[in-house]
Amino acid sequence: MITIEGLKEFGADTTTGLTRCLNKEDFYLKMVGMGLNEPRFNQLGEALSKKDMDAAFELSHALKGVVGNLALDPLYKIISEMTELLRAKSDADYGSMYAQIMEKRNALLAM
């Protein structure tokens, strides 16, 4: 079960996240759970495997907003990096980046 302490250990800025959720811990934790279960995480992997970089950019940009608003900083950092590389249409190891994203997401879900 995801907890404030677990999120802090993960590196989330729970003070900011809670503030954005009116300092209601139960609401914040509910939003974190919903954010981590976003279907766009899997859709991003599908877009990357199809090499549909336009779709991958849109999906990563949306996820960047979700995890950013929840102050899940370690996850935000890698998604933000991917988003900017996709925006610039840069060559990058997107598969490796996606694996890191999913590893961090799954670690949170396993709490």
Side-chain angles (χ1 to χ4, degrees):
M1 181 171 141
I2 298 173
T3 63
I4 296 298
E5 288 307 313
L7 290 171
K8 285 180 184 178
E9 288 175 21
F10 174 75
D13 180 355
T14 56
T15 301
T16 299
L18 281 165
T19 300
R20 291 179 180 150
C21 290
L22 307 172
N23 289 313
K24 296 183 179 185
E25 185 175 318
D26 58 332
F27 180 59
Y28 176 57
L29 293 174
K30 180 180 177 180
M31 292 296 104
V32 168
M34 289 174 64
L36 293 174
N37 284 297
E38 262 289 330
R40 288 179 273 206
F41 280 103
N42 292 327
Q43 293 167 358
L44 175 59
E46 292 167 13
L48 290 169
S49 69
K50 293 178 184 174
K51 301 207 184 303
D52 185 346
M53 297 310 173
D54 291 332
F57 167 74
E58 294 297 329
L59 291 161
S60 67
H61 190 266
L63 288 169
K64 177 182 164 186
V66 170
V67 300
N69 282 330
L70 295 170
L72 302 175
D73 295 350
L75 192 52
Y76 176 81
K77 181 181 177 192
I78 188 72
I79 292 174
S80 182
E81 182 182 342
M82 176 184 275
T83 300
E84 295 313 311
L85 289 168
L86 286 165
R87 182 189 315 272
K89 300 185 186 298
S90 298
D91 286 333
D93 185 356
Y94 293 111
S96 176
M97 294 177 85
Y98 179 69
Q100 290 176 47
I101 289 166
M102 294 305 284
E103 181 181 319
K104 290 181 186 309
R105 173 189 172 241
N106 293 338
L108 285 169
L109 287 171
M111 285 186 182

